Structures are given as C-alpha cells and as structure tokens.
Amino acid sequence: MTSIGGAEMVDWNLAVATATRLVRPGPEVSRDEARAVVAELRRHAKSSEEHVRSFTRMGSEDTHDTPVLVVDRAGWIRANVAGFREILKPLLDKMQDKRGSGAGGAVLGAVGGKVTGVELGMLLSFLASRVLGQYETFAPPTRDLPAAANGGGRLLLVAPNIVHVERELDVDPHDFRLWVCLHEETHRTQFTAVPWLRDHLEGEIQSFLGETEVDPMTFLERIREAAQSFGSGRGEQDDTESDDGGRSLVELVQTPAQREILARLTAVMSLLEGHADYVMDGVGPSVVPSVGEIREKFKERRARGASRLDQALRKLLGLDAKLRQYRDGERFVRAVVDEVGMDGFNRVWTSPNTLPTKAEIAKPADWVARVHRKGD
C-alpha cells in the first residue's frame, strides 16, 4: 500500500468497505433464477465473439485468454478498486517522493488516506448500481478476479444491474442480455485485435496523471474543493450558471496543462464507445429479435435520467460527458462507414496517428479526408 509518512495515501480497503456498505441492494431474485441469469450471460458472451468478429472484420483470436466474469455489485467494486490501485500507483509514488520536501505531506498522510478512501467508496457505491458491463483494460489478476496473462484485461458483466434494467424497461430479458453482451464483447475485440491500443491508452492516462500537481497541500485543497461541491448540491445548477457549479469532479481536480491530454482521451473514448454502440445495433437485427424496442427504450432511459439528485451526481461525476461519447462516437462511426465502408473505417486502428481527434469526432469528413487521402 502506497503511503506517505507511514500513513496510507488511499485506504483501499476502506474504499471497498464503504462502497459495499452503501451500495443499493440488487433486485430480488431466487437462487435458481440467479444461477440461470449467470449461465445465460456466459453463453451470450461466448456467442457474441463470432457475431462481433464477423460484423467488424476485426480478428480477435486472443479473446480466449481474456476471462469473462459475471459479478454482483460488490464484485464490480472490488475489481475497480484493484484497477484504480494499478493505474494510480505512479502518481501515488510521485506524491510519496514529494513528502520529504514539505510539511503539508504530513497533513495529507494523517487524514488523506481515510478521507480519500471514504470518498472513493461513496462514488463507487453510486456507480456500482448503474454499470451493466465493463471491459477492464488495466486489470491486475487477483485470486478472486483473474485477468489475461498478458498484463491485464477481463470482461465484467454485472448481473443484478442487467436484471434491474431489463425489468425497468419491460423488455425481453433474453434479448436484452445478448444485446448488452454484444456491446461489451466489442470492447474486448477492440483491445485484443489492436495490440497497441492498450499501451497507447495507458500512456495517455499516465501523461495526464504526470501533469497532476503533486504538492500534498495543493492536492488536498483540490480534493476538499471537489468534496464541497459534491456535498453542497451545486451540481444541480443549470448550464447557464458559471464557476464550479457546472464542472465535473474530473474538471475540478485537473490542471490547465491536462486539458489537451483530456481532449485526446475524450476522442479515443468516444470512438470506443460509439463503435460498440454501432456494432451492437448492427449485429442486433440478425440475432436479437426485439432490438428495435430495446434500443428505443434504452435511449429514452439515457435521456431521461432519474431524480434531480441522480442528474446532479451524473453532472458532477462527468457521466453526462460519457453519454455524449456514446452519441457523438456512434455518429462518427456511422458516418465513416457510410462513406468508406467497414474496411475503410478500420483504418482507424492502424496506429495512434489514425485515431480521430476530438474535432474529427464532430466532423467525420475531416477524418476521412486526412486518413484516406494520406493512405491513397
């Protein structure tokens, strides 16, 4: 456990304990029904491999090395805490080195680990009831949560959340489960078929973290600012208001130097999420009979949100930006495929230089002109 002055920088165990204690209970299901759901999700995950490979024309023979885990909400929390520990380790090590040059580190070391652990747990408890599935790119293997042997990668399907949403939407549960698996399998295909993608994404994230101000007192002040905004309900302000009320938690703790990196990350994530949505809908009609009904109801659910508190939290945590990534990315993929076909679109996976910029996500014709004119 990374520590400063003998105290943990982040109390990861407390984060897990807090999140599992606060997370909402899942839907009521019998033991037999739960077993049937788990078995069906595993079957759908397996059958989705061929559907996605055939539609995308992307080879992903290595997916057999990437485990599919059907988990509950507590399992999703444990997996994500393990991923956070892995990806944040360089930043925490950097802050540990900074400890020796300032008295502020002692303050953070004394209280920061517990405070950050609780706050992280609170955020994870909110998210754990909302995620249907997730491809974990930087997943370290553990005894309970295996990962690919090549340094990471596992596919998580959160069974209680899938059951909850299929009941809420009142759609065919078998079709909905396959539909979700198609989306998540696309993410697994993206990373197994494009060997450089994981390292590129990790490099961007580490560059982003490397620009973080590591002075402990500055960091603590930023965390306090974010927590005060989270607790004050300022996230409920409308978009016409200024200052921090309209900013997400990520924006509150980033430095100006990180915005350029974040723009590139946003473009990549828009591509990945939009591609998964496009594939899910493209494969859907041939294997998911009620895909039209599912898609329409799911879009309404995304747009509608939930309570004002839920909407405020989504805005503060930056989840509204993620919803825009689905929408904008899907539009980009659809426009490019319509213009140059699937093989033409797949040039996007050639190298980091062929990834779209944030501006090109909004204007797909610019990406087509840049990449295909150069390639031709």
Side-chain angles (χ1 to χ4, degrees):
M1 192 78 71
T2 302
S3 61
I4 287 183
E8 297 172 353
M9 269 289 295
V10 179
D11 191 330
W12 301 106
N13 292 332
L14 182 58
V16 172
T18 300
T20 53
R21 184 174 67 252
L22 296 179
V23 70
R24 298 174 182 176
E28 292 186 7
V29 295
S30 67
R31 184 180 296 272
D32 289 342
E33 184 180 5
R35 289 173 176 169
V37 170
V38 170
E40 184 173 19
L41 287 173
R42 286 175 175 159
R43 290 196 304 270
H44 285 331
K46 181 63 178 177
S47 66
S48 295
E49 294 180 21
E50 181 56 36
H51 294 314
V52 171
R53 281 201 299 265
S54 176
F55 184 81
T56 62
R57 303 176 193 173
M58 296 172 67
S60 54
E61 293 81 3
D62 292 334
T63 55
H64 66 276
D65 188 42
T66 307
V68 176
L69 307 180
V70 182
V71 298
D72 58 12
R73 291 170 178 175
W76 180 88
I77 289 168
R78 291 194 298 272
N80 275 266
V81 168
F84 285 151
R85 290 185 67 173
E86 182 79 5
I87 202 69
L88 291 176
K89 187 177 186 301
L91 174 62
L92 298 182
D93 288 346
K94 189 176 180 180
M95 295 185 70
Q96 182 181 22
D97 293 339
K98 190 73 173 179
R99 165 67 180 91
S101 61
V107 178
L108 184 59
V111 301
K114 298 296 183 184
V115 171
T116 307
V118 170
E119 290 179 346
L120 177 60
M122 292 172 63
L123 298 182
L124 288 173
S125 71
F126 172 77
L127 297 172
S129 62
R130 287 157 173 79
V131 176
L132 301 181
Q134 174 182 339
Y135 182 77
E136 284 202 288
T137 314
F138 312 107
T142 66
R143 183 180 61 182
D144 299 328
L145 296 165
N150 61 355
R154 58 182 169 230
L155 184 61
L156 303 181
L157 297 169
V158 191
N161 295 350
I162 294 173
V163 172
H164 171 78
V165 174
E166 70 192 24
R167 291 178 178 179
E168 178 186 351
L169 298 181
D170 190 25
V171 294
D172 183 281
H174 309 293
D175 285 0
F176 184 76
R177 294 165 195 173
L178 176 55
W179 189 70
V180 171
C181 287
L182 289 170
H183 181 102
E184 302 307 331
E185 175 58 34
T186 303
H187 286 317
R188 182 163 67 158
T189 297
Q190 291 163 348
F191 284 94
T192 56
V194 185
W196 54 265
L197 184 57
R198 179 186 183 276
D199 289 342
H200 172 73
L201 193 59
E202 182 178 17
E204 291 282 58
I205 292 172
Q206 292 303 333
S207 295
F208 182 89
L209 295 176
E211 291 292 336
T212 301
E213 295 177 2
V214 295
D215 174 70
M217 287 303 293
T218 301
F219 183 81
L220 181 59
E221 186 59 34
R222 287 180 177 271
I223 291 295
R224 285 174 176 168
E225 180 184 5
Q228 289 168 2
S229 178
F230 185 84
S232 68
R234 284 186 288 165
E236 297 189 28
Q237 296 172 346
D238 61 38
D239 291 336
T240 63
E241 296 190 47
S242 58
D243 299 324
D244 292 338
R247 301 170 66 191
S248 71
L249 188 63
V250 172
E251 291 171 320
L252 284 169
V253 298
Q254 74 177 256
T255 64
Q258 293 170 311
R259 294 193 183 108
E260 183 177 345
I261 302 171
L262 188 61
R264 294 197 300 269
L265 281 170
T266 298
V268 174
M269 297 310 298
S270 296
L271 170 68
L272 299 181
E273 296 293 0
H275 183 234
D277 262 14
Y278 178 81
V279 172
M280 181 171 59
D281 289 344
V283 174
S286 63
V287 297
V288 182
S290 61
V291 64
E293 177 190 4
I294 291 173
R295 187 60 167 155
E296 181 179 357
K297 290 184 175 180
F298 199 75
K299 280 185 175 180
E300 290 176 357
R301 181 179 183 271
R302 277 181 179 173
R304 182 176 66 251
S307 65
R308 283 182 58 81
L309 176 60
D310 188 68
Q311 292 171 359
L313 292 175
R314 284 177 180 272
K315 185 173 183 180
L316 183 60
L317 297 177
L319 298 184
D320 285 347
K322 185 172 179 64
L323 297 182
R324 289 194 296 273
Q325 288 172 5
Y326 286 111
R327 181 194 64 205
D328 297 344
E330 196 274 341
R331 288 176 180 170
F332 170 84
V333 176
R334 185 173 301 279
V336 172
V337 173
D338 288 347
E339 178 70 20
V340 296
M342 184 62 74
D343 290 336
F345 165 78
N346 280 340
R347 287 195 189 182
V348 77
W349 312 116
T350 304
S351 75
N353 292 330
T354 57
L355 291 173
T357 64
K358 189 176 180 180
E360 289 171 339
I361 288 289
K363 294 182 178 180
D366 290 353
W367 180 88
V368 173
R370 175 173 67 88
V371 173
H372 282 265
R373 182 173 61 242
K374 182 179 180 180
D376 294 340

